[in-house]
Short mmCIF file of all heavy atoms in Angstrom, two decimals:
data_model
loop_
_atom_site.label_atom_id
_atom_site.label_comp_id
_atom_site.label_asym_id
_atom_site.label_seq_id
_atom_site.Cartn_x
_atom_site.Cartn_y
_atom_site.Cartn_z
N LEU A 70 85.31 107.76 94.97
CA LEU A 70 86.01 108.22 96.16
C LEU A 70 85.49 109.61 96.51
O LEU A 70 84.82 110.25 95.69
CB LEU A 70 87.53 108.24 95.96
CG LEU A 70 88.09 109.09 94.81
CD1 LEU A 70 88.26 110.55 95.22
CD2 LEU A 70 89.46 108.54 94.39
N ARG A 71 85.81 110.03 97.70
CA ARG A 71 85.52 111.40 98.12
C ARG A 71 86.84 112.07 98.43
O ARG A 71 87.70 111.47 99.09
CB ARG A 71 84.62 111.41 99.35
CG ARG A 71 83.25 110.81 99.08
CD ARG A 71 82.39 110.87 100.31
NE ARG A 71 81.15 110.13 100.12
CZ ARG A 71 80.24 109.94 101.06
NH1 ARG A 71 80.42 110.46 102.27
NH2 ARG A 71 79.16 109.26 100.81
N ASP A 74 87.96 112.01 101.90
CA ASP A 74 88.23 110.70 102.50
C ASP A 74 89.69 110.63 102.95
O ASP A 74 90.56 111.30 102.38
CB ASP A 74 88.01 109.58 101.47
CG ASP A 74 86.57 109.11 101.43
OD1 ASP A 74 85.81 109.42 102.37
OD2 ASP A 74 86.21 108.43 100.46
N SER A 75 89.93 109.79 103.93
CA SER A 75 91.30 109.59 104.41
C SER A 75 91.87 108.30 103.85
O SER A 75 91.17 107.30 103.71
CB SER A 75 91.32 109.53 105.94
OG SER A 75 90.99 110.80 106.46
N LEU A 76 93.16 108.35 103.56
CA LEU A 76 93.86 107.20 103.01
C LEU A 76 95.04 106.85 103.90
O LEU A 76 95.74 107.75 104.39
CB LEU A 76 94.34 107.56 101.59
CG LEU A 76 94.60 106.44 100.60
CD1 LEU A 76 93.38 105.57 100.37
CD2 LEU A 76 95.06 107.03 99.27
N HIS A 77 95.25 105.57 104.10
CA HIS A 77 96.39 105.10 104.89
C HIS A 77 97.69 105.45 104.17
O HIS A 77 97.87 105.10 103.01
CB HIS A 77 96.26 103.58 105.07
CG HIS A 77 97.34 102.95 105.87
ND1 HIS A 77 97.54 101.59 105.92
CD2 HIS A 77 98.30 103.49 106.66
CE1 HIS A 77 98.56 101.32 106.71
NE2 HIS A 77 99.05 102.46 107.16
N ARG A 79 101.38 104.77 103.58
CA ARG A 79 102.44 103.78 103.79
C ARG A 79 103.42 103.86 102.63
O ARG A 79 103.03 104.06 101.48
CB ARG A 79 101.86 102.38 103.97
CG ARG A 79 101.04 101.89 102.82
CD ARG A 79 100.14 100.71 103.18
NE ARG A 79 100.86 99.58 103.73
CZ ARG A 79 100.29 98.40 103.95
NH1 ARG A 79 99.02 98.20 103.67
NH2 ARG A 79 100.99 97.39 104.45
N ASN A 80 104.68 103.71 102.97
CA ASN A 80 105.72 103.80 101.94
C ASN A 80 106.12 102.38 101.55
O ASN A 80 107.15 101.87 101.96
CB ASN A 80 106.93 104.57 102.48
CG ASN A 80 107.94 104.85 101.39
OD1 ASN A 80 107.81 104.40 100.26
ND2 ASN A 80 108.97 105.61 101.74
N ARG A 81 105.27 101.77 100.77
CA ARG A 81 105.48 100.38 100.36
C ARG A 81 104.74 100.17 99.06
O ARG A 81 103.53 100.24 99.00
CB ARG A 81 104.94 99.44 101.43
CG ARG A 81 105.16 97.99 101.12
CD ARG A 81 104.19 97.14 101.87
NE ARG A 81 102.84 97.29 101.37
CZ ARG A 81 101.87 96.39 101.53
NH1 ARG A 81 102.10 95.31 102.22
NH2 ARG A 81 100.66 96.56 101.04
N PHE A 83 104.81 98.14 94.96
CA PHE A 83 105.25 96.94 94.26
C PHE A 83 105.55 97.27 92.80
O PHE A 83 104.76 97.93 92.13
CB PHE A 83 104.18 95.84 94.37
CG PHE A 83 103.96 95.44 95.80
CD1 PHE A 83 102.86 95.91 96.51
CD2 PHE A 83 104.89 94.66 96.47
CE1 PHE A 83 102.67 95.57 97.84
CE2 PHE A 83 104.72 94.31 97.80
CZ PHE A 83 103.62 94.76 98.49
N GLY A 88 106.79 92.84 90.61
CA GLY A 88 106.08 92.79 91.88
C GLY A 88 106.98 92.94 93.09
O GLY A 88 106.52 92.82 94.23
N SER A 89 108.26 93.22 92.85
CA SER A 89 109.18 93.38 93.99
C SER A 89 108.86 94.66 94.76
O SER A 89 108.30 95.62 94.23
CB SER A 89 110.63 93.39 93.51
OG SER A 89 110.82 94.46 92.61
N LEU A 90 109.21 94.63 96.02
CA LEU A 90 108.93 95.75 96.93
C LEU A 90 109.85 96.93 96.62
O LEU A 90 111.04 96.74 96.39
CB LEU A 90 109.16 95.28 98.37
CG LEU A 90 109.09 96.32 99.47
CD1 LEU A 90 107.66 96.68 99.79
CD2 LEU A 90 109.78 95.80 100.73
N ARG A 92 110.41 101.30 97.94
CA ARG A 92 109.95 102.45 98.72
C ARG A 92 110.47 103.70 98.02
O ARG A 92 111.52 103.67 97.39
CB ARG A 92 110.47 102.38 100.15
CG ARG A 92 110.08 101.08 100.87
CD ARG A 92 110.49 101.12 102.34
NE ARG A 92 110.62 99.79 102.91
CZ ARG A 92 109.61 99.03 103.33
NH1 ARG A 92 108.38 99.48 103.24
NH2 ARG A 92 109.82 97.83 103.82
N ILE A 107 103.31 108.70 107.88
CA ILE A 107 103.37 107.25 107.58
C ILE A 107 102.81 106.47 108.76
O ILE A 107 103.15 106.72 109.91
CB ILE A 107 104.81 106.82 107.25
CG1 ILE A 107 105.17 107.29 105.83
CG2 ILE A 107 104.98 105.30 107.35
CD1 ILE A 107 106.61 107.06 105.44
N GLY A 108 101.94 105.53 108.42
CA GLY A 108 101.27 104.73 109.45
C GLY A 108 99.89 105.28 109.78
O GLY A 108 99.03 104.55 110.24
N ARG A 109 99.71 106.58 109.55
CA ARG A 109 98.41 107.18 109.86
C ARG A 109 97.66 107.45 108.54
O ARG A 109 97.94 106.82 107.55
CB ARG A 109 98.64 108.46 110.67
CG ARG A 109 99.45 108.19 111.97
CD ARG A 109 99.26 109.30 112.98
NE ARG A 109 99.72 110.60 112.49
CZ ARG A 109 100.95 111.06 112.61
NH1 ARG A 109 101.87 110.33 113.21
NH2 ARG A 109 101.30 112.24 112.16
N THR A 110 96.74 108.38 108.58
CA THR A 110 95.97 108.66 107.37
C THR A 110 96.12 110.12 106.97
O THR A 110 96.43 110.98 107.80
CB THR A 110 94.46 108.38 107.57
OG1 THR A 110 93.97 109.21 108.62
CG2 THR A 110 94.20 106.93 107.90
N ILE A 113 92.65 112.52 100.87
CA ILE A 113 92.97 112.39 99.44
C ILE A 113 93.23 113.76 98.84
O ILE A 113 94.15 113.93 98.02
CB ILE A 113 91.84 111.65 98.71
CG1 ILE A 113 91.86 110.16 99.13
CG2 ILE A 113 91.95 111.79 97.20
CD1 ILE A 113 90.69 109.36 98.61
N PHE A 135 95.78 103.58 94.81
CA PHE A 135 94.38 103.58 95.26
C PHE A 135 93.41 103.53 94.07
O PHE A 135 92.47 102.72 94.07
CB PHE A 135 94.11 104.80 96.14
CG PHE A 135 92.73 104.79 96.74
CD1 PHE A 135 92.30 103.74 97.52
CD2 PHE A 135 91.86 105.84 96.53
CE1 PHE A 135 91.02 103.71 98.07
CE2 PHE A 135 90.58 105.83 97.07
CZ PHE A 135 90.16 104.76 97.85
N LEU O 67 91.03 102.84 113.99
CA LEU O 67 91.26 103.83 112.92
C LEU O 67 91.37 103.11 111.57
O LEU O 67 92.24 102.29 111.37
CB LEU O 67 92.54 104.62 113.19
CG LEU O 67 92.93 105.64 112.12
CD1 LEU O 67 91.88 106.74 112.00
CD2 LEU O 67 94.30 106.24 112.40
N VAL O 68 90.46 103.45 110.67
CA VAL O 68 90.48 102.85 109.33
C VAL O 68 90.45 103.97 108.29
O VAL O 68 90.14 105.11 108.60
CB VAL O 68 89.27 101.93 109.11
CG1 VAL O 68 89.42 100.63 109.87
CG2 VAL O 68 87.97 102.63 109.47
N ASP O 69 90.80 103.61 107.06
CA ASP O 69 90.72 104.62 106.00
C ASP O 69 89.49 104.35 105.14
O ASP O 69 88.60 103.57 105.51
CB ASP O 69 92.03 104.69 105.20
CG ASP O 69 92.23 103.52 104.25
OD1 ASP O 69 91.36 102.62 104.19
OD2 ASP O 69 93.27 103.50 103.56
N CYS O 70 89.46 105.00 103.96
CA CYS O 70 88.23 104.98 103.16
C CYS O 70 87.96 103.63 102.50
O CYS O 70 86.98 103.51 101.76
CB CYS O 70 88.27 106.09 102.13
SG CYS O 70 89.67 105.99 101.02
N ARG O 71 88.80 102.65 102.78
CA ARG O 71 88.50 101.31 102.25
C ARG O 71 87.45 100.60 103.13
O ARG O 71 87.01 99.51 102.80
CB ARG O 71 89.77 100.48 102.17
CG ARG O 71 90.78 101.03 101.14
CD ARG O 71 92.10 100.33 101.27
NE ARG O 71 93.06 100.74 100.27
CZ ARG O 71 93.99 101.67 100.45
NH1 ARG O 71 94.04 102.31 101.61
NH2 ARG O 71 94.85 101.98 99.51
N ARG O 74 81.24 102.53 103.88
CA ARG O 74 80.89 103.94 104.14
C ARG O 74 80.10 104.11 105.44
O ARG O 74 80.36 105.01 106.21
CB ARG O 74 80.07 104.43 102.94
CG ARG O 74 79.75 105.89 102.91
CD ARG O 74 80.96 106.79 102.84
NE ARG O 74 81.78 106.58 101.66
CZ ARG O 74 82.93 107.23 101.46
NH1 ARG O 74 83.37 108.12 102.33
NH2 ARG O 74 83.66 107.00 100.39
N LEU O 77 82.22 104.10 108.42
CA LEU O 77 83.35 105.03 108.35
C LEU O 77 82.93 106.44 108.71
O LEU O 77 83.56 107.09 109.55
CB LEU O 77 83.92 105.01 106.93
CG LEU O 77 85.09 105.92 106.61
CD1 LEU O 77 86.33 105.45 107.33
CD2 LEU O 77 85.35 105.94 105.10
N ILE O 108 100.06 101.86 116.42
CA ILE O 108 99.25 100.98 115.57
C ILE O 108 98.87 101.74 114.31
O ILE O 108 98.40 102.88 114.38
CB ILE O 108 97.95 100.54 116.30
CG1 ILE O 108 98.28 100.06 117.71
CG2 ILE O 108 97.21 99.48 115.50
CD1 ILE O 108 99.24 98.92 117.79
N SER O 109 99.03 101.11 113.17
CA SER O 109 98.77 101.82 111.90
C SER O 109 97.28 101.95 111.63
O SER O 109 96.46 101.19 112.18
CB SER O 109 99.43 101.08 110.74
OG SER O 109 98.71 99.93 110.42
N ALA O 110 96.95 102.88 110.74
CA ALA O 110 95.59 102.94 110.19
C ALA O 110 95.30 101.60 109.53
O ALA O 110 96.20 100.97 108.97
CB ALA O 110 95.49 104.06 109.17
N ASN O 111 94.07 101.15 109.61
CA ASN O 111 93.66 99.83 109.12
C ASN O 111 94.38 98.70 109.85
O ASN O 111 94.34 97.55 109.41
CB ASN O 111 93.93 99.65 107.61
CG ASN O 111 93.15 100.61 106.75
OD1 ASN O 111 92.05 101.02 107.13
ND2 ASN O 111 93.70 100.99 105.61
N GLN O 120 87.67 96.68 102.52
CA GLN O 120 88.21 96.19 101.24
C GLN O 120 89.51 95.41 101.39
O GLN O 120 89.90 94.66 100.50
CB GLN O 120 88.43 97.37 100.28
CG GLN O 120 87.16 97.99 99.77
CD GLN O 120 87.44 99.27 98.98
OE1 GLN O 120 88.47 99.41 98.33
NE2 GLN O 120 86.51 100.20 99.04
N TYR O 137 103.42 99.72 113.37
CA TYR O 137 104.34 100.25 112.35
C TYR O 137 105.54 100.95 112.96
O TYR O 137 106.51 101.25 112.29
CB TYR O 137 103.60 101.18 111.39
CG TYR O 137 103.22 102.53 111.94
CD1 TYR O 137 104.06 103.64 111.77
CD2 TYR O 137 102.02 102.72 112.63
CE1 TYR O 137 103.71 104.88 112.28
CE2 TYR O 137 101.66 103.95 113.13
CZ TYR O 137 102.52 105.03 112.96
OH TYR O 137 102.17 106.26 113.46
N PHE O 143 110.88 102.62 112.92
CA PHE O 143 109.83 102.17 112.01
C PHE O 143 110.10 100.71 111.65
O PHE O 143 111.24 100.35 111.32
CB PHE O 143 109.80 103.04 110.74
CG PHE O 143 109.13 104.36 110.97
CD1 PHE O 143 109.84 105.43 111.49
CD2 PHE O 143 107.79 104.53 110.67
CE1 PHE O 143 109.22 106.65 111.73
CE2 PHE O 143 107.16 105.75 110.90
CZ PHE O 143 107.88 106.82 111.43
N ASN O 145 110.09 98.36 109.26
CA ASN O 145 109.95 98.19 107.81
C ASN O 145 111.10 97.41 107.20
O ASN O 145 111.37 97.52 106.00
CB ASN O 145 109.81 99.55 107.12
CG ASN O 145 110.97 100.48 107.43
OD1 ASN O 145 112.00 100.03 107.95
ND2 ASN O 145 110.84 101.75 107.11
N ASP O 146 111.80 96.63 108.01
CA ASP O 146 112.84 95.78 107.43
C ASP O 146 112.90 94.47 108.21
O ASP O 146 112.26 94.31 109.27
CB ASP O 146 114.21 96.48 107.42
CG ASP O 146 114.65 96.94 108.81
OD1 ASP O 146 114.17 96.36 109.81
OD2 ASP O 146 115.45 97.89 108.89
N PHE O 169 108.70 88.73 108.24
CA PHE O 169 109.00 89.71 107.19
C PHE O 169 108.99 89.01 105.84
O PHE O 169 109.46 87.88 105.71
CB PHE O 169 110.37 90.33 107.42
CG PHE O 169 110.79 91.28 106.32
CD1 PHE O 169 110.43 92.62 106.38
CD2 PHE O 169 111.50 90.83 105.21
CE1 PHE O 169 110.80 93.50 105.36
CE2 PHE O 169 111.87 91.70 104.19
CZ PHE O 169 111.51 93.04 104.27
N LEU O 171 107.53 89.25 101.34
CA LEU O 171 106.62 89.77 100.33
C LEU O 171 105.47 88.83 100.02
O LEU O 171 104.53 89.19 99.33
CB LEU O 171 107.38 90.02 99.02
CG LEU O 171 108.28 91.24 98.98
CD1 LEU O 171 109.06 91.26 97.69
CD2 LEU O 171 107.45 92.50 99.09
N ASN O 177 105.94 93.69 105.53
CA ASN O 177 107.19 94.39 105.21
C ASN O 177 107.20 95.86 105.61
O ASN O 177 108.21 96.53 105.44
CB ASN O 177 107.50 94.25 103.72
CG ASN O 177 106.25 94.45 102.89
OD1 ASN O 177 105.67 95.53 102.91
ND2 ASN O 177 105.81 93.40 102.20
N ASP O 178 106.09 96.39 106.09
CA ASP O 178 106.14 97.75 106.62
C ASP O 178 105.44 97.86 107.98
O ASP O 178 105.07 98.95 108.40
CB ASP O 178 105.59 98.78 105.63
CG ASP O 178 104.09 98.66 105.40
OD1 ASP O 178 103.51 97.61 105.79
OD2 ASP O 178 103.51 99.60 104.83
N HIS O 179 105.26 96.72 108.62
CA HIS O 179 104.71 96.71 109.98
C HIS O 179 104.90 95.32 110.58
O HIS O 179 105.24 94.36 109.87
CB HIS O 179 103.21 97.06 109.95
CG HIS O 179 102.37 96.08 109.21
ND1 HIS O 179 102.05 96.23 107.87
CD2 HIS O 179 101.78 94.91 109.59
CE1 HIS O 179 101.30 95.21 107.47
NE2 HIS O 179 101.14 94.39 108.50
#
Side-chain angles (χ1 to χ4, degrees):
Chain A
L70 58 84
R71 296 182 188 176
D74 273 345
S75 292
L76 203 58
H77 180 193
R79 58 198 304 189
N80 188 355
R81 182 202 70 158
F83 298 102
S89 60
L90 173 77
R92 304 186 202 280
I107 284 174
R109 303 200 299 272
T110 60
I113 289 173
F135 185 57
Chain O
L67 177 64
V68 286
D69 75 0
C70 58
R71 294 170 176 96
R74 187 63 60 184
L77 179 69
I108 312 302
S109 75
N111 297 330
Q120 290 172 31
Y137 73 93
F143 282 84
N145 57 13
D146 57 24
F169 176 88
L171 284 174
N177 43 63
D178 69 345
H179 63 267

